[in-house]
Amino acid sequence: MKYFIELMKNCVETVLVFTAFFPFFPCPFELPRSKELIHDAILDNDFMKNLELSQIQEIVDCMYPVDYGEDACIIKEGDVGSLVYVMEEGKVEVTKEEMKLCTMGPGRVFGELAILYNCTRTATVRTLTHVKLWAIDRQCFQTIMMRTGLIKHAEYMDFLKSVPTFKNLTEETLNKLSDVMEETHYDDGEFIIRQGAMGDTFFIISKGMVNVTQEDPASHEPVLLREMTRGDWFGERALQGEDVRTANVVAVDSVTCLVIDRDSFKHLIGGLEDVSNKGYEDAELKAKYEAENAFFSSLKLTDFNIIDTLGVGGFGRVELVQLKNEDAKTFAMKILKKRHIVDTRQQEHIRSEKHIMTDAHCDFIVRLYRTFKDSKYLYMLMEACLGGELWTILRDRGSFDDSTTRFYTGCVVEAFAYLHAKGIIYRDLKPETSSWTAYHKLKVDFGFAKKIGYCKKTWTFCGTPEYVAPEIILNKGHDVSADYWSLGILMYELLTGSPPFTGLDPMKTYNVILRGIDMIEFPKKVTKNAANLIKKLCRDNPIERLGNLKNGVKDIQKHKWFEGFNWEGLKKGTLTPPISPNVSSATDTSNFDSFPEDTDEPPPDDNSGWDYDF
Ligand SMILES: *[C@@H]1O[C@H](CO)[C@@H](O)[C@H](O)[C@H]1NC(C)=O
Ligand SMILES: *[C@@H]1O[C@H](CO)[C@@H](O)[C@H](O)[C@H]1NC(C)=O
Ligand SMILES: *[C@@H]1O[C@H](CO)[C@@H](O)[C@H](O)[C@H]1NC(C)=O
Ligand SMILES: *[C@@H]1O[C@H](CO)[C@@H](O)[C@H](O)[C@H]1NC(C)=O
C-alpha cells in the first residue's frame, strides 16, 4: 500500500494548491452521496467509462470541489486546460464559436480531453445558475493511471515468478505474460473449475481461498483434498494440452484469480527468442557506413546550395540542397528553429530522433547523414526522397487498390521489423510527412520514435488522433504493439481514403477508437482478406495483435492478404513498384507542392546548451 499513500499525498497537495486559489471551498472530504454521483457520472461518460473500476475509484477519491456563481466562465474555448469536471448541482451552457451547442445539468462530465494531454479547449462552458463541480487535473489523473498500471504489473510479475512452471522463463516473457493475464472474480461456492470438464485455462489465486475437491468413486460425494490461497495456482496441466480437469476448485467467500488461456500462453512462450532480424549489419556494410561517415564529417554548411523547398511546418522547413562542387549530389536538409523546439519542449524528441535515425541503416527508413547547428537552427542532412510523400499520391488518387496498398504496407512492415528488433517503437505512422516514396520504395521518416528497449513500456501521449492505439488513450503504457495498431489504420486509410476512426474533434475520435474496430463497417471495396488482416492488427488488447505474437512480423508476412507477395524482391529492390513517381533528375522537385518563402526569422537560442550533441 506504499504506492497508494504516496499517491494520496500527491493529490492532497493538488487540493491544497487549489484551495489556496479559491479559499471558499468546503472541506475536501465530501459526503458519500457526492462520491456516488461522481462515480455514476464517470460511468456514464463515453471516455471515462473505459477506465478500470479501481482507477475510477481513485479518481473519485482525488476529485476536489469547485464552486462557480451565476454567469461565470468555467472553460473558455481556445484556452489551455488541464482540468476535467463533474457537475453535481446547477446548469451550464456550452457554446462553440458563439453558437449554442447544448445545456448540461447535474451528473455530466466535461473537459475530459484536457486530462489526456496538454491541449486547448474546444468549446466554452458558462454557468446559467450557481454550480457545484468536482475537478481533477491532468497530472493527478495521469499519476493514477500510471501507478495503478504499474502496481498491477508489479503484482502480476511477483505472482508469475513464484510459480515453478514459469521458473525458467525470462523476465521479458514474464513481462508479456503479466500483460495478458486477466483478473476474474468468483463468489462464495462458485465452481472455478469442475472435475471432468474440458478446460484450457490456467489460474493463479490473487485474493481469497478455494477448496479443491475430488469425487469419491464409491459415494460420488466430493472429498476435500486441500485448500489453496493467495499465490497458489491450478489448472497448469491445461497449458500443456491436457483438457480434462481432474478436480473441482470451489471459491470460498469471494476469490480473485489471474487467468491465462492456452492460446495466449502458446503464442507468448518460446516466441520471444527469435528476434533474429539482425541480418542487416554485417562487416562489409559496416565498412561502407564508416566511409560514408568520413565523407559527411568533412562537410560544412557552406558546402551546400539551396535548390527548392520540399516542406514547411511549425518546426521549420525542409529544403532540397546540393553540394556546390558536385551538382548531382542532392539531399533533403531539415532546418529546425531552435526557439520553436524549446517553446514546444521538444528537445528530447529531437535528440532521440537524431540518434535513432543516425543509427538506422535500413532501406525502408530515410537516412540521416549528419547534423549541423548554429545559433538559430538545427540542421539535419538527410537522404532526398524525390518521389514525394505518400500522402500527396493518396490525395491525388483518393484511394489505392489492394496491390498498391500491399506494396506500401510491406515497406512499413520491413521498417517496423528493423526498428522493433532494435527496441525502437516508431509511433508516428500516417500517410503525411512520415512516409515518403523514394524512387521505388516507401521510406519512413521520424518524429516521435522512441527507444524503449525490449518489452518495456512508455507513457508519453503522442501521435495523430486517428492513429492512436486504445492503450495510449487509456494511459496504460504502450509498446511496439501500438505500431501494429497504426499499421492496421494505415492499411484502412490507403484502401479507402480515410482512416476507420474519425470524429469531429480529437475526443470524439478517441471515443470511437475505444469502441473498437468491430464497430466499424468496412466499405465493400475492402476485400475480405484485407479486412481480416486489419482486424487482426487492430485488436483492442495489444498482446493479441498480429505482429506482436510468437512469430513477430512473420505472422503479418504470412497472412492470407500477403499470399504470393514477393518479400525478397521488395527487400532487394527488384520488385516493380505499383506507382513509379516521375523523377527526371536529382534536382527535380515536381512531386512536391510549392511553398512560400519563410520570412519568419526566429530569435537566436543558443545559451541553454540542450543541443550539445548536435
Ligand atoms: C501547454 O501548452 C501551452 C501552449 O502550447 C504551454 O504554454 C504550456 O506551458 C504547456 N503546459 C505544459 C504543462 O506542458
Ligand atoms: C528449468 O531448467 C532446468 C535446467 O535447464 C531443468 O532441469 C528444469 O527441469 C527446468 N524447470 C522447469 C520447471 O521447466
Ligand atoms: C470449504 O471447505 C471447508 C472445510 O471442509 C468447508 O467448511 C466449507 O464449507 C467449504 N466451502 C465451500 C464453498 O465449499
Ligand atoms: C509519370 O509520367 C507518365 C507520363 O507522363 C504518366 O503516365 C504517369 O502517370 C506519371 N506517374 C505519376 C506517378 O504521376
Side-chain angles (χ1 to χ4, degrees), residues 391 394 398-399 431 467 488-500:
W391 179 79
L394 182 61
S399 63
Y467 277 74
I489 307 291
L490 180 75
M491 252 184 85
Y492 188 100
E493 178 159 4
L494 296 183
L495 287 169
T496 68
S498 60

Side-chain angles (χ1 to χ4, degrees), residues 188-189 209 211 224 227 250-253:
D188 187 35
M209 194 179 93
N211 283 349
L224 182 73
E227 288 165 347
V250 186
V252 181
D253 279 337

Side-chain angles (χ1 to χ4, degrees), residues 187-373:
D187 292 328
D188 187 35
E190 205 174 322
F191 275 69
I192 302 173
I193 64 180
R194 207 178 272 275
Q195 186 175 354
M198 309 285 274
D200 64 356
T201 320
F202 170 81
F203 303 80
I204 306 175
I205 306 171
S206 74
K207 213 177 102 211
M209 194 179 93
V210 299
N211 283 349
V212 183
T213 65
Q214 210 164 31
E215 196 172 282
D216 177 62
S219 67
H220 296 291
E221 286 297 309
V223 177
L224 182 73
L225 297 181
R226 61 180 180 278
E227 288 165 347
M228 295 198 296
T229 55
R230 182 183 156 89
D232 290 334
W233 68 95
F234 52 90
E236 70 273 26
R237 287 217 205 105
L239 297 182
Q240 284 135 26
E242 283 175 44
D243 285 321
V244 182
R245 305 295 192 183
T246 55
N248 298 304
V249 177
V250 186
V252 181
D253 279 337
S254 94
V255 171
T256 306
C257 291
L258 302 184
V259 177
I260 313 176
D261 66 63
R262 186 162 56 214
D263 268 356
S264 308
F265 190 82
K266 276 207 310 222
H267 276 311
L268 291 174
I269 303 304
L272 292 156
E273 294 96 81
D274 74 18
V275 189
S276 52
N277 270 312
K278 291 197 175 124
Y280 290 86
E281 284 161 5
D282 55 24
E284 201 180 316
L285 283 177
K286 213 165 184 175
K288 189 178 139 209
Y289 299 151
E290 275 163 18
E292 182 188 279
N293 200 13
F295 171 75
F296 285 103
S297 314
S298 69
L299 297 176
K300 295 183 296 296
L301 265 179
T302 48
D303 291 334
F304 299 93
N305 279 329
I306 292 182
I307 300 172
D308 201 356
T309 303
L310 302 178
V312 173
F315 60 87
R317 52 209 291 117
V318 182
E319 305 281 9
L320 183 68
V321 299
Q322 157 185 64
L323 267 180
K324 280 178 183 162
N325 57 7
E326 222 174 324
D327 285 3
K329 274 212 160 104
T330 60
F331 304 91
M333 182 82 86
K334 214 185 222 181
I335 305 175
L336 306 158
K337 296 174 185 164
K338 288 167 112 179
R339 188 75 250 163
H340 184 82
I341 296 169
V342 172
D343 286 349
T344 53
R345 303 170 190 223
Q346 298 292 306
Q347 295 98 315
E348 267 316 309
H349 273 152
I350 297 291
R351 273 214 298 275
S352 142
E353 175 176 348
K354 178 204 156 152
H355 288 134
I356 290 171
M357 282 186 83
T358 307
D359 287 350
H361 293 278
C362 168
D363 280 345
F364 299 91
I365 297 171
V366 176
R367 277 292 296 136
L368 171 64
Y369 298 111
R370 69 161 292 182
T371 57
F372 302 93
K373 67 180 168 188

Side-chain angles (χ1 to χ4, degrees), residues 164-168:
T165 310
F166 296 154
K167 208 175 72 191
N168 287 358

